Amino acid sequence: MSSSSPSPTRVVLLTGPSGSGKSSLAARSGLPVLRLDDFYKECADPTLPLVEGSSDIDWDSPLSWDADSAVAAIAELCASGRTDVPVYDIATSSRTGWDTLDIARTPLFIAEGIFAADVAARCQELGLLADAICLRGRPSTTFRRRLARDLREGRKSVPFLLRRGLRLMRAERGIVARHVALGAHACDRDEALGRLAAAAAGRHRTTTAA
């Protein structure tokens, strides 16, 4: 009797504006999850960008994030099912330690975060990408959900959160358009769940940026 080789492990990149429901959708899927927010740069990093015309650090710019380390972690999970990831504290903008993510050779996992689409092309070039999804909703709903979460978790000061929240609400449609240009498929929660089910069944829907 011939034996078939196991399917290679691939990743679904799950992105969308901050507060769009990525984390709750990833948890609902039942798949292992790599939190890409843990790859933020630390507050003392001199390469951190600032919001134009402000002294606020622009945590919504991909320049505030370590894409190379994130791709390396995704590649290691696909190759071995295990990788070490930083533990990042958003309130202090610092790494507080390291943790080991072990997905036990699961054939599919989710990497979720607001910069996930920024590594879609690289993951596809490496043959790791099953799908790239961008959650899309109403900007006003996203604003309320994001602000409630950030206040509950004490992520930053209230004035900072309000300034950021209003800026992101105004920019949300452009943020989604950018993710689509980078290769993500924009959709609501129900369609995203369907695409995750398709990817889990081996029906990969990789996309490429225009």
Side-chain angles (χ1 to χ4, degrees):
M1 180 181 297
S2 61
S3 59
S4 58
S5 58
S7 300
T9 297
R10 288 190 171 88
V11 64
V12 172
L13 298 173
L14 179 59
T15 190
S18 175
S20 58
K22 298 180 296 297
S23 297
S24 59
L25 178 66
R28 181 174 174 179
S29 74
L31 294 168
V33 179
L34 173 66
R35 286 173 29 90
L36 296 178
D37 282 357
D38 285 326
F39 294 92
Y40 266 115
K41 296 176 182 178
E42 297 191 89
C43 60
D45 193 311
T47 67
L48 283 170
L50 298 179
V51 175
E52 186 175 357
S54 169
S55 60
D56 289 342
I57 293 173
D58 189 355
W59 296 109
D60 299 289
S61 165
L63 296 177
S64 69
W65 185 66
D66 187 351
D68 291 340
S69 293
V71 171
I74 290 169
E76 191 169 14
L77 279 173
C78 289
S80 69
R82 182 184 178 95
T83 192
D84 292 329
V85 295
V87 177
Y88 193 89
D89 180 45
I90 291 179
T92 61
S93 305
S94 62
R95 294 182 177 182
T96 60
W98 290 83
D99 200 1
T100 298
L101 177 60
D102 191 337
I103 64 173
R105 302 302 300 169
T106 304
L108 188 73
F109 68 97
I110 293 173
E112 67 94 0
I114 63 172
F115 304 124
D118 286 84
V119 298
R122 291 170 65 178
C123 288
Q124 184 164 340
E125 289 170 2
L126 294 170
L128 309 177
L129 188 64
D131 201 357
I133 300 169
C134 173
L135 281 184
R136 176 180 59 194
R138 292 183 178 180
S140 59
T141 301
T142 306
F143 170 82
R144 291 193 299 270
R145 184 188 294 124
R146 175 176 55 241
L147 184 60
R149 177 203 64 194
D150 291 350
L151 290 172
R152 182 176 64 251
E153 298 179 3
R155 290 191 168 195
K156 301 292 179 185
S157 69
V158 174
F160 178 93
L161 293 176
L162 287 172
R163 290 194 302 271
R164 176 179 182 251
L166 291 170
R167 184 175 72 250
L168 290 179
M169 184 173 66
R170 292 190 292 266
E172 182 159 327
R173 299 190 191 284
I175 291 170
V176 171
R178 177 178 178 273
H179 292 164
V180 170
L182 289 169
H185 174 79
C187 60
D188 61 16
R189 181 194 61 186
D190 291 341
E191 185 179 349
L193 285 169
R195 292 180 73 95
L196 285 170
R203 300 191 298 276
H204 306 303
R205 308 191 202 185
T206 55
T207 55
T208 54

